[in-house]
Amino acid sequence: TDIDGSEFIELDDILAAAKSADKIVIGLGEHTYAENVGNIGELLLPERQLGLVYQIAAATNASIAVVLVQGRPRRLGKIPEVADAIVNAYLPGEYGGLPIAEILYGKPAYSDYNPQWAFGYGLGYSTIEYSNVTVSNSVLAMDIPITVSVVVTNTGPYPQKEVVMLFTQQFYRFNLAPENNRLRKFAKVDVAVGASIEVVFEL
């Protein structure tokens, strides 16, 4: 499909090639832009771009990685359900091919933000589990700090730098709508394979 998603280009050839592939990389995204030219009314990627991924996924059992080249996070429809990996490359420039290839081959572990998921959501190449969450006090009072702790365990095959985040919710605020989730504290920790680290925050 063209970048505007207005038409499919050589779709039959693409599907035929996909059927004989072990792994497939699909590039999606948008034109470069500046200021008003980039204004859009919908964050969802063009339907034909999404449809291309759906048709390729239906035609093959190969692993699919989707690379997003765009100036902002976009909504991805059902792509997370059919793709095995999603890389948000933004606008990486003429030297962007190398880091994109390194990500696809598993060299680094990055996280990113996308409006389709909660803030802070991201996947590295390892698996991180959170357990033993404790809160020192269930009552909020002036001048009485609250300590929150959690144990972070790397149960996957690779070491990973994990960003541990503490959010709070305020269900009512006078005259203003409160944030659904407010980021209050965060910590970056290096978690080796099989290791567990306790992270402690104080509010």
Side-chain angles (χ1 to χ4, degrees):
T1 175
D2 65 341
I3 195 169
D4 295 313
S6 58
E7 62 177 324
F8 286 121
I9 300 174
E10 300 177 346
L11 179 60
D12 292 339
D13 293 338
I14 292 173
L15 295 178
K19 291 177 182 179
S20 62
D22 296 324
K23 294 178 175 59
I24 300 170
V25 178
I26 305 173
L28 305 179
E30 58 186 359
H31 288 287
T32 56
Y33 54 83
E35 299 182 355
N36 291 343
V37 178
N39 290 350
I40 56 176
E42 172 58 69
L43 285 176
L44 187 69
L45 282 173
E47 285 293 340
R48 287 190 181 272
Q49 287 198 36
L50 301 177
L52 176 64
V53 180
Y54 303 155
Q55 291 191 58
I56 292 174
T60 177
N61 292 321
S63 298
I64 296 175
V66 174
V67 178
L68 304 170
V69 180
Q70 54 194 13
R72 56 199 150 197
R74 299 288 295 266
R75 291 174 53 232
L76 308 178
K78 296 181 180 180
I79 285 181
E81 299 175 21
V82 299
D84 298 280
I86 299 172
V87 178
N88 192 1
Y90 286 102
L91 299 176
E94 59 185 7
Y95 292 104
L98 178 59
I100 291 173
E102 289 179 339
I103 292 171
L104 293 174
Y105 276 88
K107 184 176 180 180
Y110 294 115
S111 294
D112 190 25
Y113 168 68
N114 186 288
Q116 193 157 329
W117 296 283
F119 173 76
Y121 179 91
L123 295 177
Y125 286 96
S126 202
T127 303
I128 301 295
E129 292 186 358
Y130 287 69
S131 63
N132 298 330
V133 178
T134 64
V135 181
S136 64
N137 195 338
S138 60
V139 178
L140 183 63
M142 293 293 292
D143 300 323
I144 300 178
I146 294 178
T147 299
V148 180
S149 67
V150 62
V151 174
V152 181
T153 303
N154 186 345
T155 60
Y158 304 105
Q160 182 158 311
K161 181 183 289 292
E162 179 75 357
V163 180
V164 183
M165 292 172 285
L166 175 64
F167 294 89
T168 60
Q169 289 184 325
Q170 182 178 352
F171 298 105
Y172 176 79
R173 181 184 297 166
F174 178 73
N175 209 31
L176 289 172
E179 306 91 342
N180 186 39
N181 292 290
R182 180 181 177 185
L183 179 64
R184 304 300 295 268
K185 300 280 186 176
F186 72 92
K188 295 182 179 181
V189 293
D190 291 303
V191 192
V193 175
S196 294
I197 297 177
E198 183 180 38
V199 180
V200 180
F201 299 112
E202 184 175 286
L203 289 174

